[in-house]
Amino acid sequence: MTHATGKVVGVNGNLVAVEFEGQVSLNEVGYVLLGDKRLKSEIIRVRGARAEMQVFELTRGIGIGDTVEFSSELLAVELGPGLLGKVYDGLQNPLPELAEQAGFFLERGVYLNALSRETVWSFTPSVKAGDTVTRGDSIGSVPEGIFEHRIMVPFHFGGSYTVDSVVEAGEFSVTDTVATLKDEKGNQHELTMVFEWPVKRAIDIYAERLKPADPMVTKVRIIDTFIPVSLGGTYCIPGPFGAGKTVLQQITSRNAEVDIVIVAACGERAGEVVETLKEFPELIDPKTGRTLMERTVIICNTSSMPVASREASVYTAVTIAEYYRQMGLNVLLLADSTSRWAQAMREMSGRLEEIPGEEAFPAYLESVIAGFYERAGKVRLKDGTIGSITIGGTVSPAGGNFEEPVTQATLKVVGAFHGLSRERSDARKYPSIHPLESWSKYPTIVHPRKAEYARELLFRGNEVGQMMKVVGEEGTSTEDFVEHMKSEFLDAVYLQQNAFDPVDAAVSTERQVHVFDILFDLMACKLKLETKEEVRHYFNALRQRFLDYNSAEWDSEEFKKLENEIRGMIDEKRGEYETAAQELLEEINA
């Protein structure tokens, strides 16, 4: 098959215009020849015999008349065993190997295999000669860390195939033939453990999509109780610079009850990414007791790397996530930060001279962001197993302005919004998710009506706090002051969490439900407190006791002792239930 060729007729930043001969298609990969280097590019617009390409490398030195070779292949990633534990760039080059070859300053035009050709895997077949298979069906498996990695019929194989032959269990590299299939016309196809799939095409080989209903437990109380995320759901974390987005993502990746974590650092600052790369191999995975890196893939594309590859990194990450979902696993994809990806789109759109939308972002910004988040989801595969991809994206709006286009476009498609607040992070209230501005459409781990009652208390307490700033404490009734102190107490002992405390850093579902019921009891009853001084003294003493309680090991003697003291302090001052709480409890019990 002859590939199309062309000549460069214009260069604008990382956008190169090419006049070509032959046939090319959108999203096809081409290479600009610069001396002995081949610079990888992707076609993003075709008009007649002229194509515009975004180059994934620095374009310094490209001149008019330079040769371009097209590959007839779409931008794709390699899928197979050996992805876990790797650090890739946006084009799926393994960065440690690239650094070994090129030194500290990565060279242009160097592309390596994503999967090692030397590593041998212990393959066990699951089909025999004569069996019929279709795309996505498992033909065998290899152990990859703690998982059974399914070796599947490549996803681009249409129709049904008969297994002609399959190797016996043994050690093979990813490029060795493990099975031979015969199609309906009698043609033979040799299968290896590795194949390619275009990143911009969603992998949709499943029986049905399911509603995300099971919680993805993060062990962060404010998330699991008040603004939960479901397995297969989507959420976003917008917040100003320095409010703790990256830290919150790292805590989530460590403690979330999922099988595989994929981190797409798509345009975050290099310093933060280096921190992630250094910390992840040292973090101990609570599930296995080994390094967290064994079930993590990092796609690393910092803001100092070429703009075009930011977009590639987002799609590379979500394609790898879909691949592992096909094995019936729960995958968490964390994109940090989607704002930098949107800025890359704005830059390319400007160079294409498209009509700009709001704040010069392209008019199609919303549909591109929606297309990315829609690749999340919980699915039932053809063999009945269930897999999911949960996508959490951070947004970095300038100055923490949530009205800007990227945040607004994201809010239209996600199921939960974890808005970080500058005032909370300045007050050292972590995680700095604003409990009143944030929301979720997913089911909570506690009783939903009780959670709603607690949210209303936070709203009322905040209103009293705002009023007190104007009229002072003297102008506030004792009843209102109690409301305010209850909401402050709930915030201090439940919404805030100490990431440096080994017990309080990750709280199990069982403990969250248990502790929330104790707190609900306090919030729901009237307290026999006469003066504001008495109210302040009572809540300060109770808060100190509760913080010690949060640090005590679950169900230990210390935990039970402190719980009895707390219950005693509540019982001593409790009166009857508030009317709304009484009605709510009667409704629940009925």
Side-chain angles (χ1 to χ4, degrees):
M1 182 182 170
T2 55
H3 302 306
T5 57
K7 296 282 184 199
V8 174
V9 293
V11 183
N12 178 6
N14 66 328
L15 184 77
V16 171
V18 180
E19 280 187 356
F20 62 88
E21 291 174 5
Q23 281 196 326
V24 301
S25 59
L26 205 61
N27 302 124
E28 186 178 326
V29 172
Y31 293 91
V32 181
L33 306 188
L34 188 62
D36 60 345
K37 290 186 168 48
R38 290 160 58 81
L39 307 186
K40 196 169 187 175
S41 321
E42 178 192 17
I43 297 176
I44 52 174
R45 185 164 71 183
V46 182
R47 287 178 172 178
R50 185 183 172 115
E52 264 109 0
M53 303 168 66
Q54 57 177 352
V55 184
F56 296 118
E57 306 276 8
L58 297 172
T59 52
R60 188 179 63 248
I62 296 178
I64 306 294
D66 283 352
T67 305
V68 177
E69 288 180 356
F70 295 97
S71 66
S72 304
E73 293 174 355
L74 301 181
L75 185 65
V77 288
E78 274 190 358
L79 301 173
L83 291 166
L84 294 184
K86 285 289 202 324
V87 181
Y88 292 115
D89 69 2
L91 301 174
Q92 217 196 3
N93 292 303
L95 283 174
E97 284 87 332
L98 206 58
E100 233 171 77
Q101 188 170 322
F104 287 118
F105 297 99
L106 302 182
E107 289 176 29
R108 294 189 291 175
V110 179
Y111 308 109
L112 303 178
N113 291 323
L115 299 172
S116 163
R117 300 311 195 233
E118 282 76 51
T119 308
V120 291
W121 299 90
S122 183
F123 177 77
T124 309
S126 59
V127 292
K128 57 187 185 305
D131 287 354
T132 303
V133 291
T134 57
R135 66 188 192 128
D137 286 351
S138 177
I139 56 166
S141 64
V142 300
E144 184 182 18
I146 58 170
F147 304 107
E148 276 296 308
H149 187 113
R150 294 184 194 174
I151 305 302
M152 295 178 268
V153 176
F155 302 154
H156 55 269
F157 277 37
S160 63
Y161 296 79
T162 307
V163 177
D164 204 33
S165 66
V166 63
V167 296
E168 291 184 5
E171 306 285 312
F172 301 92
S173 74
V174 291
T175 50
D176 291 337
T177 301
V178 291
T180 310
L181 304 185
K182 196 179 278 183
D183 63 21
E184 287 150 340
K185 293 178 181 173
N187 301 321
Q188 288 205 327
H189 304 266
E190 291 188 344
L191 294 196
T192 63
M193 293 194 229
V194 61
F195 62 91
E196 291 194 340
W197 181 259
V199 294
K200 299 214 172 148
R201 187 182 299 166
I203 298 171
D204 56 359
I205 312 163
Y206 45 78
E208 78 175 306
R209 280 180 80 95
L210 304 170
K211 184 181 178 183
D214 301 323
M216 181 190 80
V217 176
T218 62
K219 299 187 179 174
V220 177
R221 287 187 294 253
I222 186 170
I223 296 177
D224 293 343
T225 304
F226 291 105
I227 27 180
V229 179
S230 288
L231 286 171
T234 53
Y235 67 103
C236 72
I237 311 174
F241 171 74
K245 293 187 291 292
T246 307
V247 174
L248 186 58
Q249 280 205 332
Q250 287 196 14
I251 289 170
T252 308
S253 60
R254 184 177 180 179
N255 297 317
E257 292 186 356
V258 292
D259 298 311
I260 286 170
V261 179
I262 297 177
V263 180
C266 49
E268 223 12 285
R269 295 184 337 281
E272 287 193 18
V273 177
V274 167
E275 212 171 280
T276 303
L277 294 180
K278 278 183 177 171
E279 281 182 14
F280 262 72
E282 290 173 16
L283 289 176
I284 298 300
D285 183 356
K287 274 189 170 187
T288 62
R290 312 219 305 252
T291 168
L292 185 63
M293 201 63 205
E294 285 184 10
R295 59 183 184 94
T296 305
V297 184
I298 297 178
I299 312 291
C300 175
N301 215 104
T302 67
S303 53
S304 49
M305 288 177 170
V307 166
S309 45
R310 285 186 207 171
E311 186 190 19
S313 65
V314 172
Y315 291 111
T316 298
V318 77
T319 306
I320 294 172
E322 288 174 329
Y323 176 61
Y324 278 104
R325 179 174 67 181
Q326 281 300 120
M327 298 178 204
L329 298 172
N330 294 317
V331 185
L332 171 62
L333 169 58
L334 298 168
D336 187 20
S337 129
T338 54
S339 294
R340 309 288 204 295
W341 165 43
Q343 284 161 13
M345 275 196 278
R346 175 166 66 183
E347 211 166 301
M348 292 312 301
S349 175
R351 286 175 182 158
L352 287 167
E353 297 177 0
E354 294 171 337
I355 295 170
E358 196 181 344
E359 288 192 25
F361 283 104
Y364 48 79
L365 175 74
E366 280 186 17
S367 57
V368 172
I369 287 177
F372 166 63
Y373 280 103
E374 279 166 8
R375 287 176 75 168
K378 180 179 173 184
V379 300
R380 180 182 289 113
L381 302 173
K382 290 189 287 184
D383 64 357
T385 53
I386 289 175
S388 70
I389 298 173
T390 311
I391 297 182
T394 66
V395 188
S396 313
N401 169 28
F402 292 169
E403 298 304 311
E404 57 86 51
V406 183
T407 310
Q408 287 302 312
T410 307
L411 286 182
K412 287 178 183 173
V413 293
V414 295
F417 164 65
H418 298 173
L420 302 189
S421 142
R422 161 71 65 218
E423 81 189 89
R424 282 181 75 81
S425 72
D426 286 350
R428 297 287 179 270
K429 293 180 176 180
Y430 291 110
S432 56
I433 298 172
H434 201 296
L436 307 183
E437 290 179 5
S438 304
W439 49 260
S440 172
K441 297 173 183 172
Y442 301 119
T444 168
I445 58 167
V446 301
H447 195 286
R449 293 294 305 281
K450 286 186 176 181
E452 194 51 47
Y453 184 88
R455 278 289 291 268
E456 283 169 11
L457 177 79
L458 290 168
F459 275 104
R460 292 198 304 273
N462 180 59
E463 280 173 16
V464 175
Q466 298 300 328
M467 187 176 71
M468 275 164 54
K469 285 178 184 172
V470 180
V471 300
E473 207 175 287
E474 308 77 38
T476 311
S477 67
T478 308
E479 197 179 326
D480 281 351
F481 189 65
V482 169
E483 287 268 80
H484 174 65
M485 290 304 284
K486 275 183 180 178
S487 76
E488 289 289 299
F489 175 74
L490 177 64
D491 188 349
V493 303
Y494 199 79
L495 303 188
Q496 293 171 46
Q497 222 162 315
N498 183 356
F500 294 103
D501 185 307
V503 175
D504 200 34
V507 186
S508 68
T509 310
E510 198 182 351
R511 180 167 181 157
Q512 286 188 50
V513 173
H514 180 79
V515 172
F516 184 77
D517 280 342
I518 296 172
L519 282 168
F520 180 79
D521 214 32
L522 173 70
M523 292 181 286
C525 67
K526 294 174 181 172
L527 297 172
K528 297 171 186 168
L529 298 165
E530 303 300 324
T531 65
K532 289 173 189 151
E533 196 51 51
E534 196 182 346
V535 173
R536 189 180 289 105
H537 178 76
Y538 175 74
F539 277 105
N540 283 347
L542 193 57
R543 181 170 76 167
Q544 195 50 56
R545 191 65 78 247
F546 224 98
L547 292 176
D548 293 342
Y549 176 61
N550 282 345
S551 299
E553 284 283 353
W554 169 243
D555 243 7
S556 64
E557 287 306 314
E558 173 76 356
F559 178 86
K560 290 171 184 169
K561 175 173 158 278
L562 286 163
E563 184 172 313
N564 287 336
E565 286 179 26
I566 289 165
R567 287 188 186 276
M569 287 175 78
I570 295 171
D571 290 342
E572 187 188 340
K573 297 293 181 185
R574 70 178 300 156
E576 60 194 32
Y577 280 121
E578 300 275 1
T579 314
Q582 184 64 48
E583 288 170 3
L584 169 61
L585 288 168
E586 282 170 8
E587 197 178 311
I588 291 170
N589 294 332

